Amino acid sequence: MNSVEGVAIASRGGAPSIFLRNITKAFGETIALSDVSLDLRAGEVHALLGENGAGKTTLMKILYGLSQPDSGQIEADGVVLKIESPRDARAAGIGMVTQHFSLVKNMTVIENIALASAKTFAIDLAKVRAEIVAASARFGLDVPPDAVIASLPIALQQRVEILKALMSGCSYLILDEPTAVLGPNDIDSLLEVIRRLRSDAGIGIVLISHKMAEIEKVADRVSVLRRGQVVSSSLANGITSKELVTLMVGEQQSGAEQRQRSASPSQSPILVLESVGVSREAGGLSDISFTVRPGEILGIAGVSGNGQTELVNVLSGTTQIDSGTITVEGHQLGSNTPQSLMRAGVGILGEDRHASAVHALQVVENLILDCVEKFAGKFQLRRKEMLNHCESAITQFEIKANPKQAFGTLSGGNMQKVLLARLFSRKPKVAIISQPTRGLDVMATNYVRSLIAQASKQGTAVVLVSEDLDEILELADRVAVMYRGSVVGIVDHTAASRESIGELMAGIAK
Ligand SMILES: Nc1ncnc2c1ncn2[C@@H]1O[C@H](COP(=O)(O)OP(=O)(O)O)[C@@H](O)[C@H]1O
Ligand SMILES: [Mg+2]
């Protein structure tokens, strides 16, 4: 076989067109990919699934020339491609939108696209504009050509990235977890774009995602990576979501069960917010009212940036309210300080697990950070008791760490378990839990969700703030939707159709 540089791939008609053959790649001790083979076809959406660390990004970076394999090769229609850089990949018709966008933030859409497609120094911006308009129309990807990238919401920046790749003439497009940064309605439009690229333009798409619902909607073919190996590759309609999850995580544990919801408890609410408002300078919240009963999980849904973070700040006492009231167990708080909330029995799991702990401190120290007084001896901390406390938390919460390990060296899932252990071992009456599974793999996600369900079963009132609507629908009894700093609707789980929540999130329902 010949090795040629930059072969344009023009084959159509569903024939296998790109073969990744026996790709192996190690990073030091870590074997990221072990003898992986994968076929990509033109005009097909190929979903690539796998837990965090399975090797998906590494494999696609190799295809796009961002990384070199230790062994193995890439072929197009029987010819070995030499892909040593993204430039080689693009010349071979392969484009990629990586998780971290590569747009120049302080330049406009036009300038970014012109830069990417420039073959000479003389750039004809008027011509590029016309090309953008034509390509936007052709692919259903509207972008504002003159907008500066930094001023665009993430969904639009992503569209620019996709358009940029398409305009460089790719016939294969790799999208690495494109929906992770999007709200539900933007996800739907992206999936529509993907369908269109496949059906109207015959583009072969690799879609990396953790989310079964998305795979079900658009994938023609699904491959699952686990620990650097392909464990399954099949037509999408030949395999169920349940089977895919089992393949992803192995046999031990598959998809999370729906939480058992008991009939609506008649107990009176333990947490009551009434017309809570926060000044514009402090984030801008207005007229937030809701109640949570013991044992109930109230989900807070919303596209990111609609006041969820500010609401959590209010409930952790880091942002003061300037109107309305917060009542815990019938007692109205004079002011919402961290101390008054904690004394009232409100515990927090913040959205940023790194900010909630001290990386350099040991697990055992991080576990007691918010109740140091409990372990204070006459002159120093009672180390032995701290260790006992830590060891029982490690067992109870299935934390894979030893007590003296620095917190910063733990995996995301184990960090989260430490923080949940810290939260729940205080036995809070109300737990405010924000983005608990962001960035975690399927196993850790399921475990964290089961901990939340368990706490509610034991009577804790939970406020669950999450950008993952599936997570909210899986766990919550009721769902409050935030939009532009207000709660625009509260929907019962039973009546909580995804669409009505989606409409509330987009601000189009009233
Ligand atoms: N540049 C790198 N240096 C060291 N290890 C890496 C590097 N990139 C990826 N890895 C490791 O390779 C494995 C696969 O990672 P990745 O391809 O990012 O997985 P995925 O995209 O499926 O989450 C992981 O164990 C990861 O820690
Ligand atoms: Mg990845």
Side-chain angles (χ1 to χ4, degrees):
M1 264 180 277
N2 296 319
S3 172
V4 292
E5 227 178 302
V7 195
I9 297 153
S11 87
R12 287 283 181 275
S17 315
I18 292 193
F19 289 167
L20 290 116
R21 289 246 188 266
N22 311 105
I23 306 278
T24 292
K25 173 81 180 177
F27 297 99
E29 304 262 279
T30 311
I31 298 175
L33 297 169
S34 164
D35 199 24
V36 167
S37 295
L38 200 71
D39 301 351
L40 306 178
R41 291 162 167 82
E44 223 178 56
V45 177
H46 194 137
L48 193 53
L49 276 173
E51 294 202 85
N52 289 339
K56 306 176 298 288
T57 297
T58 304
L59 185 63
M60 288 302 116
K61 280 187 169 169
I62 288 172
L63 177 57
Y64 189 55
L66 285 165
S67 178
Q68 295 300 307
D70 299 334
S71 59
Q73 61 191 30
I74 299 165
E75 299 167 12
D77 300 328
V79 180
V80 178
L81 296 180
K82 193 168 141 219
I83 301 180
E84 291 179 343
S85 68
R87 178 200 288 257
D88 292 344
R90 285 194 297 268
I94 300 161
M96 176 164 178
V97 178
T98 52
Q99 276 178 290
H100 300 283
F101 298 162
S102 60
L103 300 167
V104 185
K105 293 260 183 191
N106 59 1
M107 290 185 11
T108 63
V109 171
I110 279 205
E111 287 163 347
N112 266 282
I113 289 178
L115 200 67
S117 50
K119 295 190 180 67
T120 67
F121 287 108
I123 295 172
D124 182 349
L125 284 180
K127 188 162 160 261
V128 176
R129 174 191 301 273
E131 285 167 2
I132 290 178
V133 171
S136 290
R138 172 161 180 236
F139 299 118
L141 277 164
D142 256 351
V143 296
D146 297 305
V148 173
I149 298 298
S151 73
L152 295 177
I154 208 82
L156 272 181
Q157 294 189 19
Q158 184 180 63
R159 253 188 228 178
V160 175
E161 279 278 18
I162 294 174
L163 199 61
K164 191 178 88 177
L166 293 169
M167 289 178 65
S168 72
C170 68
S171 24
Y172 288 86
L173 179 64
I174 304 159
L175 301 171
D176 194 352
E177 296 202 39
T179 61
V181 295
L182 301 178
N185 296 316
D186 287 329
I187 290 178
D188 287 343
S189 352
L190 176 68
L191 296 180
E192 192 47 49
V193 165
I194 289 174
R195 275 192 212 104
R196 196 155 165 178
L197 291 177
R198 168 196 51 201
S199 306
D200 298 359
I203 296 198
I205 290 164
V206 179
L207 173 65
I208 299 182
S209 171
H210 288 290
K211 298 178 187 155
M212 292 304 151
E214 294 165 9
I215 310 278
E216 274 176 354
K217 280 186 196 152
V218 294
D220 300 303
R221 199 172 290 271
V222 187
S223 294
V224 181
L225 274 179
R226 183 163 84 230
R227 295 195 189 136
Q229 294 185 304
V230 174
V231 291
S232 159
S233 195
S234 66
L235 285 171
N237 59 18
I239 192 157
T240 66
S241 307
K242 233 186 160 134
E243 288 166 331
L244 287 172
V245 171
T246 307
L247 283 164
M248 273 166 72
V249 303
E251 291 296 333
Q252 318 94 301
Q253 197 183 348
S254 51
E257 300 293 308
Q258 281 276 319
R259 167 176 165 249
Q260 290 291 324
R261 291 169 180 84
S262 45
S264 179
S266 51
Q267 277 162 292
S268 48
I270 185 160
L271 175 69
V272 179
L273 269 70
E274 248 182 84
S275 309
V276 163
V278 160
S279 70
R280 194 180 282 264
E281 300 78 65
L285 293 178
S286 61
D287 204 20
I288 306 255
S289 300
F290 59 73
T291 62
V292 197
R293 294 171 203 280
E296 186 183 36
I297 300 181
L298 176 73
I300 306 280
V303 175
S304 67
N306 276 285
Q308 300 94 312
T309 304
E310 289 75 14
L311 175 62
V312 172
N313 289 345
V314 160
L315 292 171
S316 63
T318 54
T319 293
Q320 299 309 300
I321 62 174
D322 57 14
S323 57
T325 59
I326 300 176
T327 306
V328 185
E329 267 195 316
H331 300 290
Q332 189 180 319
L333 298 183
S335 61
N336 61 316
T337 62
Q339 295 76 18
S340 68
L341 283 155
M342 201 183 262
R343 242 181 282 120
V346 181
I348 298 275
L349 180 82
E351 68 176 33
D352 182 355
R353 66 183 75 105
H354 303 282
S356 313
V358 183
H359 273 213
L361 288 185
Q362 299 171 350
V363 170
V364 54
E365 292 154 344
N366 271 289
L367 263 177
I368 62 144
L369 270 187
D370 57 4
C371 58
V372 179
E373 68 289 346
K374 241 174 84 183
F375 296 93
K378 209 160 182 186
F379 299 109
Q380 55 188 15
L381 290 173
R382 296 195 306 275
R383 196 81 199 162
K384 186 104 208 318
E385 278 170 50
M386 282 168 58
L387 278 174
N388 289 342
H389 171 70
C390 183
E391 263 150 21
S392 63
I394 283 177
T395 313
Q396 189 191 340
F397 292 88
E398 300 176 21
I399 301 167
K400 286 197 197 73
N402 74 62
K404 294 188 177 163
Q405 195 173 343
F407 183 83
T409 64
L410 302 185
S411 71
N414 283 303
M415 284 185 178
Q416 203 69 324
K417 288 182 196 173
V418 170
L419 297 176
L420 282 162
R422 187 170 82 191
L423 168 65
F424 288 133
S425 49
R426 294 182 68 94
K427 305 216 181 330
K429 294 183 181 119
V430 180
I432 313 298
I433 296 181
S434 180
Q435 317 297 350
T437 61
R438 189 189 269 168
L440 301 190
D441 64 29
V442 174
M443 285 262 259
T445 294
N446 288 346
Y447 185 72
V448 164
R449 288 180 187 167
S450 72
L451 283 181
I452 296 169
Q454 196 185 323
S456 87
K457 205 169 168 190
Q458 289 163 0
T460 308
V462 176
V463 177
L464 170 67
V465 181
S466 178
E467 276 157 26
D468 183 341
L469 194 50
D470 292 321
E471 174 160 279
I472 287 188
L473 292 176
E474 183 185 314
L475 288 171
D477 298 285
R478 289 180 302 140
V479 183
V481 181
M482 292 193 72
Y483 181 70
R484 295 199 176 155
S486 297
V487 169
V488 289
I490 299 181
V491 191
D492 258 359
H493 170 260
T494 43
S497 84
R498 192 173 284 271
E499 292 88 294
S500 63
I501 294 178
E503 284 174 2
L504 285 164
M505 287 170 74
I508 52 180
K510 253 288 153 192

